[in-house]
């Protein structure tokens, strides 16, 4: 057993020699401490650590100017990608081919500025993009541009002597009122509009839009749609059995793709345990079979204690076995039901003592099969191999009978969720391209479009093209009347001016004057009337299919104002002093001449 598989008990013994080496080093140092020559050599070998900080006060406005310069550099770079005529950004890659992307958050994450204060400004605004990306999955560029607008307008009035505390309060109150107004403007998305939402997010690419709409039609609005890198140059779509639930891997060490922080295995076997795994010994038979068979293994259990989990992690890192583990989804009685659903999909046998199965005595005959499993920090997707179709149908019928018998709405909702997971399947969109660089860019574009469509299903849609934000600006005057303080009203004015920034930039990227466009759109009484940057026409944007998900617009507003508030309240910046580079050549680490022997 020891030859193939390492248990964690060996870890303690491997650490022991390190402590011996450490103690001998201390004794050597003390014995030669009196020799000034040796001490000087040792001192030269270990460089001095600088821990001092540099303080930038805002007495003459320089600190805020530098922060704002960082914000502007990031926003100008990201802003290049906004709108249907937005361009791409080329990102250098230390390894492999350069990346050419049109995705705001990917560009923002790459920015590191030389000046430490400017870099802090860029990092502040990057938060707006990251948070919007996490919640809505799209609208990251708009968040950054909106944050830049709020900061630019806010810095002017703060520099003129206004109270930043009251101004930020005004921004906060106005944003809350606008979000409430946005929900009133929103309308539920129809199936025919899903393609428009996806196409607008993908830069008016209707090939992508129609493919995502088709995927949604096949698996239903609550179904799971995933993306893969295709083998050919063409995009393709296929639907497979599968289920997704809200449980991620138990340890980040199970990750196989460090860029996406996900664990992915194909032709994987599943071990389902309706109990806590307490000892590594209990699963040794199963693990030995997996090593001999050379197949990946996914363990789903009620819980896994530290010792068996550490054993799995150590052997995964050493490459002994391809393995991942997660806690079973659901709580209480529902946990057992979910395990039975997964067993129906994969053909596994759930190990539970009530039916006379003991974990330490079973072999590979209890394992299920999955064509693919994908684990992230929060979710797990299991794609069946198509051999259990009849069993899944029977299971769905069984759950439908339970729905008829269920009395509570909550219970019915949970049972319907289980049916959707079992019968909905997974739609897989394969993104194809001629080169690897194009493939990465296309995949990010399709991912944004897919996220925008999901967001539209969740909270509805509004008119796109920056038009909705401009319409919200006309409501700010009414909101101002509800604010008691004059400086809070100044905060509302800042929001009003900043709301036109995204539309102006969309127009600028299309090669026209942004101020003229916003004035023309603003002068129309029709709330759906706006500027279609793709065609250069002023028209009914809802009819033209220029649509944004309400959730994306809401997240942009909330996160941009959040970043702007914290920025305007800042008055001093603390950064680390860069350590000066040593002119002396580094000593040979293997040289023992300084130890007095």
């Amino acid at each position: 057993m020891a030859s193939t598989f390492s248990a964690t008990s060996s870890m303690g013994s491997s650490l022991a020699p390190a402590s011996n080496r450490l103690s001998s080093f201390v004794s050597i140092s003390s014995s030669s401490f009196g020799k000034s020559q040796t001490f000087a050599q040792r001192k030269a070998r270990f460089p001095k650590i600088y821990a001092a900080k540099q303080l930038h006060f805002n007495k003459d406005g320089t600190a805020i100017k530098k922060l704002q310069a960082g914000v502007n550099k990031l926003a100008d770079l990201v802003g290049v990608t906004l709108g249907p005529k937005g361009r791409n950004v080329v990102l250098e890659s230390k390894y492999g081919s350069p990346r050419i992307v049109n995705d705001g958050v990917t560009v923002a994450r790459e920015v590191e500025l030389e000046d430490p204060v400017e870099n802090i400004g860029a990092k502040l605004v990057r938060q707006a993009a990251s948070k919007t990306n996490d919640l809505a999955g799209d609208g990251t560029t708009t968040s950054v541009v909106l944050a830049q607008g709020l900061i630019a307008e806010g810095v002017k009035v703060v520099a003129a002597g206004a109270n930043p505390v009251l101004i930020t309060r005004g921004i906060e109150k106005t944003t809350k009122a606008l979000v409430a107004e946005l929900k009133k403007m929103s309308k539920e998305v129809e199936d025919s509009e899903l393609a428009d939402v996806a196409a607008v997010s993908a830069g008016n690419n209707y090939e992508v839009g129609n493919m995502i709409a088709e995927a949604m039609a096949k698996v239903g609005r609550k179904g799971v749609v995933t993306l893969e890198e295709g083998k050919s140059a063409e995009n393709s779509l296929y639907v497979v059995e599968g289920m997704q639930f809200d449980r991620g891997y138990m340890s980040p060490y199970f990750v196989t793709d460090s860029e996406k922080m996900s664990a992915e295995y194909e032709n994987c076997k599943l071990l389902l345990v309706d109990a806590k795994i307490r000892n590594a010994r209990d699963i040794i038979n199963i693990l030995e079979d997996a090593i001999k068979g050379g197949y990946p293994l996914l363990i789903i259990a009620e819980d896994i204690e530290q010792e068996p989990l550490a054993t799995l992690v150590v052997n995964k890192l050493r490459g002994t076995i391809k393995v991942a583990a997660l806690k079973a989804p659901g709580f209480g009685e529902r946990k057992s039901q979910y395990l039975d659903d997964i067993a129906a999909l994969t053909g596994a046998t759930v190990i539970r003592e009530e039916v006379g199965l003991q974990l330490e005595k079973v072999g590979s005959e209890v394992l299920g099969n999955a064509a693919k499993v994908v684990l992230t920090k929060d979710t797990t997707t299991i794609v069946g191999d198509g051999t259990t179709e009849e069993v899944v149908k029977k299971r769905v019928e069984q759950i439908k009978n339970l729905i008829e018998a269920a009395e509570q709405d909550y219970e019915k909702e949970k049972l319907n969720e289980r049916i959707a997971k079992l019968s909905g399947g997974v739609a897989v969109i394969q993104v194809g391209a001629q080169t690897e660089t194009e493939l990465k860019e296309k995949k990010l574009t399709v991912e944004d479009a897919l996220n925008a469509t999901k967001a539209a299903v969740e909270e509805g849609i509004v008119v796109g093209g920056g038009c909705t934000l401009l319409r919200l600006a006309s409501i700010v005057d009414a909101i101002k009347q509800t604010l008691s303080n004059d400086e809070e009203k100044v905060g509302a004015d800042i929001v009003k001016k900043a709301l036109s920034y995204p539309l102006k930039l969309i127009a600028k990227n299309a090669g026209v004057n942004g101020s003229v466009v916003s004035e023309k759109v603003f002068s129309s009484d029709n709330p759906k009337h706006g500027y279609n940057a793709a065609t250069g026409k002023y028209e009914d944007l809802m009819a033209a299919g220029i649509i944004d998900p309400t959730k994306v617009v809401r997240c942009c507003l909330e996160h941009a104002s959040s970043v702007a508030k914290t920025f305007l309240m800042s008055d001093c910046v603390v950064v680390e002093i860069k350590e000066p580079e040593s002119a002396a050549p580094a000593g040979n680490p293997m040289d023992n001449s300084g130890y007095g022997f």
Side-chain angles (χ1 to χ4, degrees):
M1 178 66 220
S3 61
T4 345
F5 183 77
S6 313
T8 46
S9 54
S10 62
M11 289 173 71
S13 59
S14 65
L15 288 171
S19 56
N20 294 338
R21 284 200 297 277
L22 187 64
S23 58
S24 62
F25 172 75
V26 173
S27 62
I28 291 164
S29 302
S30 55
S31 66
S32 57
F33 197 80
K35 301 179 183 179
S36 58
Q37 184 188 0
T38 310
F39 178 68
Q41 284 175 336
R42 255 203 336 276
K43 194 174 178 184
R45 189 172 290 127
F46 299 110
K48 183 179 177 184
I49 296 170
Y50 288 83
K53 306 274 185 179
Q54 193 171 3
L55 309 183
H56 294 263
F57 291 94
N58 197 38
K59 286 176 184 173
D60 53 354
T62 51
I64 292 297
K65 276 180 189 170
K66 273 193 170 185
L67 279 174
Q68 195 182 359
V71 169
N72 290 338
K73 282 179 182 177
L74 178 74
D76 291 347
L77 179 67
V78 171
V80 168
T81 66
L82 188 64
K85 292 191 178 176
R87 309 299 172 86
N88 294 346
V89 177
V90 183
L91 305 174
E92 181 202 13
S93 181
K94 286 182 180 175
Y95 311 102
S97 56
R99 288 189 296 164
I100 299 177
V101 296
N102 193 271
D103 181 44
V105 74
T106 309
V107 176
R109 281 175 184 155
E110 288 291 320
V111 176
E112 284 291 334
L113 302 176
E114 193 175 3
D115 187 294
V117 182
E118 286 185 8
N119 200 38
I120 287 173
K123 280 182 176 176
L124 265 173
V125 183
R126 192 188 300 162
Q127 285 180 34
S130 295
K131 196 69 180 161
T132 303
N133 188 57
D134 291 345
L135 285 179
D138 190 28
T140 51
T141 306
T142 310
S143 293
V144 172
V145 173
L146 206 50
Q148 180 194 25
L150 289 166
I151 288 166
E153 299 297 335
V155 165
K156 288 177 195 172
V157 293
V158 171
N163 181 349
V165 177
L166 292 173
I167 281 171
T168 52
R169 203 168 290 158
I171 290 173
E172 189 177 357
K173 287 179 180 177
T174 308
T175 306
K176 276 186 180 174
L178 289 176
V179 168
E181 200 63 41
L182 182 67
K183 285 177 181 172
K184 290 179 192 172
M185 292 165 73
S186 173
K187 80 176 197 73
E188 197 172 320
V189 65
E190 293 170 18
D191 289 343
S192 59
E193 292 168 324
L194 289 174
D196 291 329
V197 174
V200 167
S201 176
N204 276 28
N205 185 335
Y206 272 87
E207 185 198 344
V208 170
N210 291 330
M211 186 176 283
I212 289 171
E214 189 186 339
M216 285 278 198
K218 285 186 175 178
V219 296
R221 290 192 173 195
K222 289 188 177 178
V224 182
V225 182
T226 60
L227 294 180
E228 278 183 6
E229 292 183 3
K231 302 286 186 288
S232 69
E234 299 298 317
N235 297 338
S236 59
L237 166 70
Y238 64 95
V239 180
V240 287
E241 287 181 46
M243 72 185 323
Q244 188 179 65
F245 45 85
D246 299 332
R247 276 281 196 274
Y249 43 67
M250 291 184 73
S251 166
Y253 291 111
F254 290 130
V255 162
T256 59
D257 185 335
S258 53
E259 192 179 324
K260 291 193 289 186
M261 283 305 284
S262 66
E264 298 185 21
Y265 289 122
E266 291 188 1
N267 299 321
C268 184
K269 301 264 186 185
L270 285 87
L271 173 67
L272 308 179
V273 186
D274 194 6
K276 191 181 278 192
I277 299 175
R278 300 180 187 278
N279 292 309
R281 288 191 301 274
D282 294 348
I283 51 173
I284 276 177
N285 289 340
I286 299 283
L287 295 175
E288 281 283 15
D289 286 345
I291 293 166
K292 285 173 191 167
Y295 51 78
L297 181 69
L298 176 65
I299 299 172
I300 305 178
E302 186 185 310
D303 199 1
I304 301 178
E305 291 201 353
Q306 198 61 42
E307 187 225 341
L309 182 62
T311 302
L312 294 174
V313 166
V314 166
N315 286 279
K316 156 73 174 65
L317 294 176
R318 287 182 179 176
T320 313
I321 185 171
K322 294 175 183 175
V323 69
L326 67 137
K327 289 184 183 180
F331 300 95
E333 190 186 330
R334 203 167 284 117
K335 189 178 284 185
S336 297
Q337 292 166 353
Y338 267 120
L339 282 170
D340 288 334
D341 289 350
I342 297 167
L345 179 70
T346 60
T349 305
V350 182
I351 295 165
R352 43 169 75 99
E353 289 188 2
E354 301 97 276
V355 294
L357 287 173
Q358 290 181 317
L359 183 57
E360 65 271 20
K361 291 179 182 176
V362 297
S364 56
E365 71 280 353
V366 298
L367 301 180
N369 297 299
K372 187 176 182 182
V373 294
V374 181
L375 289 83
T376 66
K377 184 167 65 78
D378 306 309
T379 61
T380 297
T381 305
I382 299 171
V383 179
D385 60 359
T387 57
T388 56
E389 208 170 323
E390 286 303 314
V391 182
V392 169
K393 279 181 184 172
K394 284 178 185 173
R395 184 77 182 161
V396 168
E397 287 301 319
Q398 196 179 336
I399 297 169
K400 281 180 180 172
N401 293 336
L402 290 172
I403 291 173
E404 288 174 19
E407 293 176 7
Q408 296 174 339
D409 287 343
Y410 176 76
E411 192 65 33
K412 286 180 180 177
E413 188 185 326
K414 288 293 167 191
L415 289 167
N416 274 318
E417 258 181 45
R418 283 174 57 201
I419 287 179
K421 286 183 189 330
L422 267 173
S423 60
V426 177
V428 181
I429 295 174
Q430 286 193 328
V431 183
Q434 299 287 359
T435 61
E436 190 185 343
T437 305
E438 187 196 355
L439 179 64
K440 286 179 178 174
E441 188 267 329
K442 273 181 84 174
K443 195 176 176 189
L444 284 171
T445 304
V446 176
E447 196 172 357
D448 275 356
L450 179 59
N451 288 330
T453 314
K454 287 176 180 174
V457 169
E458 278 180 53
E459 293 186 20
I461 51 170
V462 288
V463 178
C467 186
T468 297
L469 291 172
L470 200 65
R471 296 292 171 201
L472 287 174
S474 62
I475 303 165
V476 172
D477 287 334
I479 296 166
K480 269 173 71 177
Q481 306 306 317
T482 64
L483 302 176
S484 54
N485 188 291
D486 284 342
E487 283 183 315
E488 284 186 6
K489 288 179 180 178
V490 173
D493 282 330
I494 289 167
V495 176
K496 183 178 180 179
K497 288 174 185 172
L499 287 170
S500 65
Y501 272 58
L503 177 62
K504 285 178 180 176
L505 188 57
I506 289 170
K508 183 187 168 191
N509 286 345
V512 292
N513 188 314
S515 300
V516 172
V517 170
S518 64
E519 200 59 48
K520 276 192 179 180
V521 173
F522 214 46
S523 61
S524 171
D525 294 331
N526 181 1
K528 294 177 183 177
H529 183 81
Y531 177 67
N532 185 344
T535 59
K537 293 177 184 173
Y538 293 90
E539 57 184 334
D540 184 329
L541 294 185
M542 193 65 90
I546 311 299
I547 307 165
D548 279 344
T550 309
K551 186 179 182 180
V552 169
V553 180
R554 175 179 66 79
C555 288
C556 289
L557 258 174
E558 289 174 343
H559 301 143
S561 70
S562 170
V563 165
K565 281 185 305 184
T566 48
F567 186 99
L568 295 173
M569 292 282 282
S570 308
D571 205 49
C572 178
V573 186
V574 182
V575 293
E576 279 189 19
I577 296 174
K578 279 189 178 178
E579 188 180 322
E581 288 184 18
S582 175
N588 180 2
M590 303 304 289
D591 179 17
N592 282 331
S593 60
Y595 286 121
F597 280 92

